[in-house]
Amino acid sequence: MPRLKYASVVRVFVIIGLFCLWVQIMLSASSGGIYRDGEELMNANETSEQVLALVPPELHKYLTVHHKNVSANSTERSGPKNISDILRAIQRNNDAQTIYNEDIFGPVQNDTIIIAIQVHTRLTYLRHLIVSLAQARDIDKTMLIFSHDYYDEEINNLVRSIDFTKVMQIFYPYSIQTHPHEFPGTDLNDCPRDAKFDQAVKLQCNNALHPDLHGHYREAKYTQTKHHWWWKANRIFNQLQCTIGHTGPVVFLEEDHYVAEDFIHMLYLLRNMADKSCPQCEILSLGTYLKTYQYHHNSDKVEITPWHSSMHNMGFAFNRTVWNNIMELQDQFCAYDDYNWDYSLLHLSQNRPGREKFKVILCKGPRVFHIGECGIHHKKSNCNASTVISKVQQLLKNAKPYMYPSRVTAIVTTGGAKHNKKLTKGNGGWGDIRDQDLCTNMTKIGRQQRTYIYYA
């Protein structure tokens, strides 16, 4: 082979090899880490000038990023490394049940609107949720309960800096953070997710006899969300002193939600309609997953329809009466082989003896929005939070003339065939009897976990 031609061939192979190496590095970077899913990139984003321009200057303090901590904003970020210290801090805070700003805004009443916010580690989104809450009318008449499954002083300091209403923090005590090498985290002897049944039995790994309905074994990072939601609801309705006689609505939000300034006003309108015209409507929903929004047509429109988990799980609310109905069927929630709390609630709704499914009143013009482009279920590589947030801000600015309607009008629908189809099986991820047992015991104060032999 001529020397020139040979050199060209070598050069081609070198280029191809370098390209393959680059692809491998990119794939490794995108898939590594238990919770990364873009969180590091998303949390490192500066708040854009476009976003700040639509935020009142006095609220910029909630968006302040301390640069010395920016590189440590993911689940792996630096912080207290001593698990015993974290567990003691969690117990101390949960026992204290401190209500911040109670001296300014007064005690919790039985009809106080409680806003329960489930928090993981996405600090950037949480900042913007807090900013949106701060701008809501009548927010000073509510109480915010932040429920955390990750103990972090930067997040705690942000939450405790809130000065516009009453605030409480509760901490999920069975988290992966505090149990990194044992259940409910990932035990060293847990069965690999994709292990075959016969292989798992031979390995005598934990719970080898109980894969999920798809033949897979548990993944702690997925089961935690359902555990956390169930623990949080039990804690609020059954265990806190300030809510022991509470009969008002509890609104469920997550760290990557964003609220409109009239969301509390709309909640009152929905509740009044339910009280007067729709006693069978047990759930109120302030958010929908619409792609387009027409507030000039829909700002004062609501829909009454069967509740469906994937459509009506954002910014939804119910009271103690509904919670008591859920508690009557708690075994169905805890035993259902689905790692999603909302699908488990849908299964419970569809199997209430002698009763119809939950009905919901929902806003046709949503007042709660999802801004999370990155997280456990979202794999987008471009995780610039400011892009989505600025779109929501501009949408709400344009919709402002149509907010605060004096009344709402309802249409009644039966829901689409797809959303009325009865669940025959779950999405899996919840076959491990340890998860089912932990879930069941969360309804009991002073939980004593039973001991099992999980392998053959």
Side-chain angles (χ1 to χ4, degrees):
M1 179 183 294
R3 179 176 299 177
L4 183 60
K5 185 175 180 181
Y6 176 79
S8 299
V9 171
V10 171
R11 188 180 301 111
V12 169
F13 277 107
V14 169
I15 292 172
I16 292 173
L18 290 172
F19 176 76
C20 292
L21 179 62
W22 178 83
V23 170
Q24 185 176 1
I25 292 172
M26 290 299 101
L27 288 174
S28 298
S30 65
S31 60
I34 185 172
Y35 274 123
R36 287 178 64 184
D37 292 333
E39 285 182 11
E40 291 180 18
L41 177 61
M42 181 275 296
N43 275 314
N45 286 324
E46 296 283 356
T47 302
S48 71
E49 293 298 323
Q50 184 179 9
V51 170
L52 285 174
L54 292 173
V55 174
E58 65 271 19
L59 300 181
H60 286 190
K61 61 185 179 181
Y62 297 120
L63 301 176
T64 301
V65 176
H66 301 288
H67 290 279
K68 63 182 180 180
N69 293 324
V70 166
S71 64
N73 265 337
S74 72
T75 302
E76 305 298 332
R77 63 174 167 269
S78 61
K81 297 298 184 182
N82 189 314
I83 292 175
S84 297
D85 288 344
I86 296 174
L87 282 169
R88 280 193 292 270
I90 287 173
Q91 183 173 350
R92 183 169 61 251
N93 281 278
N94 284 346
D95 288 346
Q97 299 187 27
T98 302
I99 301 176
Y100 300 97
N101 306 322
E102 186 178 26
D103 56 328
I104 301 171
F105 299 103
V108 178
Q109 305 295 328
N110 286 345
D111 61 349
T112 296
I113 294 174
I114 292 176
I115 301 171
I117 302 161
Q118 187 155 322
V119 182
H120 181 47
T121 62
R122 292 179 290 175
L123 181 57
T124 295
Y125 291 137
L126 181 61
R127 291 182 185 279
H128 288 282
L129 170 60
I130 290 171
V131 165
S132 71
L133 289 166
Q135 297 176 82
R137 182 185 292 181
D138 292 329
I139 193 66
D140 58 319
K141 299 175 183 176
T142 71
M143 180 168 76
L144 308 180
I145 298 182
F146 291 84
S147 183
H148 304 265
D149 60 28
Y150 192 90
Y151 191 90
D152 178 85
E153 286 302 338
E154 188 171 5
I155 294 175
N156 293 343
N157 290 337
L158 171 64
V159 170
R160 291 168 190 171
S161 72
I162 291 172
D163 58 9
F164 52 81
T165 193
K166 296 183 287 293
V167 173
M168 175 182 279
Q169 287 185 286
I170 59 177
F171 295 88
Y172 173 60
Y174 314 119
S175 69
I176 296 173
Q177 181 195 26
T178 55
H179 301 77
H181 304 305
E182 61 180 344
F183 180 86
T186 302
D187 191 286
L188 295 177
N189 194 45
D190 278 353
C191 301
R193 175 190 182 273
D194 296 320
K196 300 301 181 184
F197 180 82
D198 291 344
Q199 176 190 9
V201 170
K202 288 180 181 178
L203 289 172
Q204 293 192 353
C205 51
N206 294 337
N207 212 39
L209 301 180
H210 298 278
D212 70 7
L213 58 90
H214 299 295
H216 298 138
Y217 292 96
R218 79 184 297 267
E219 294 177 274
K221 64 179 179 179
Y222 294 117
T223 61
Q224 175 167 276
T225 303
K226 177 173 173 178
H227 281 310
H228 184 183
W229 189 91
W230 186 243
W231 176 86
K232 170 188 66 182
N234 274 277
R235 182 74 175 161
I236 292 171
F237 283 107
N238 297 346
Q239 298 172 11
L240 295 179
Q241 289 297 317
C242 66
T243 57
I244 195 167
H246 186 262
T247 57
V250 176
V251 182
F252 291 87
L253 297 178
E254 297 178 14
E255 64 187 6
D256 60 350
H257 290 169
Y258 195 98
V259 301
E261 66 175 75
D262 70 338
F263 87 101
I264 295 172
H265 174 82
M266 290 302 297
L267 183 66
Y268 283 126
L269 292 181
L270 294 181
R271 188 168 64 170
N272 288 339
M273 173 165 280
D275 291 342
K276 295 176 181 178
S277 307
C278 189
Q280 73 274 25
C281 293
E282 296 169 285
I283 296 177
L284 313 175
S285 180
L286 296 160
T288 58
Y289 293 92
L290 299 174
K291 298 297 182 184
T292 59
Y293 311 97
Q294 297 179 328
Y295 280 89
H296 58 292
H297 290 309
N298 292 326
S299 179
D300 61 349
K301 303 291 192 305
V302 300
E303 181 181 354
I304 297 173
T305 191
W307 183 79
H308 191 274
S309 55
S310 63
M311 296 180 66
H312 311 129
N313 63 358
M314 180 170 59
F316 78 115
F318 56 78
N319 61 19
R320 182 176 297 278
T321 300
V322 178
W323 174 250
N324 289 339
N325 291 335
I326 292 172
M327 289 293 290
E328 290 174 2
L329 300 174
Q330 59 182 279
D331 290 344
Q332 292 204 36
F333 182 94
C334 288
Y336 189 56
D337 192 357
D338 195 313
Y339 68 93
N340 298 288
W341 63 263
D342 52 349
Y343 273 93
S344 302
L345 203 59
L346 178 61
H347 169 73
L348 182 152
S349 169
Q350 292 181 340
N351 291 275
R352 299 199 292 173
R355 304 186 67 175
E356 293 185 352
K357 293 177 289 186
F358 290 134
K359 274 198 168 54
V360 60
I361 304 181
L362 65 117
C363 296
K364 295 291 286 182
R367 266 52 177 201
V368 177
F369 300 85
H370 181 251
I371 59 173
E373 293 296 318
C374 309
I376 196 166
H377 295 300
H378 304 276
K379 308 295 183 182
K380 293 188 178 182
S381 58
N382 180 13
C383 295
N384 193 323
S386 292
T387 302
V388 180
I389 294 162
S390 62
K391 289 180 181 178
V392 173
Q393 286 177 318
Q394 192 61 50
L395 170 70
L396 292 174
K397 181 180 178 182
N398 295 337
K400 194 163 186 173
Y402 309 104
M403 290 185 175
Y404 302 101
S406 59
R407 57 187 295 272
V408 291
T409 57
I411 59 170
V412 180
T413 68
T414 58
K418 176 183 177 182
H419 299 122
N420 274 323
K421 184 178 180 181
K422 188 164 184 176
L423 296 176
T424 55
K425 61 180 181 179
N427 292 299
W430 200 261
D432 197 311
I433 57 176
R434 292 174 297 174
D435 286 312
Q436 297 173 22
D437 186 60
L438 175 60
C439 178
T440 299
N441 280 313
M442 281 182 191
T443 62
K444 305 169 185 174
I445 300 175
R447 179 181 68 88
Q448 295 294 323
Q449 186 169 340
R450 287 172 281 176
T451 302
Y452 289 97
I453 297 176
Y454 296 109
Y455 50 82

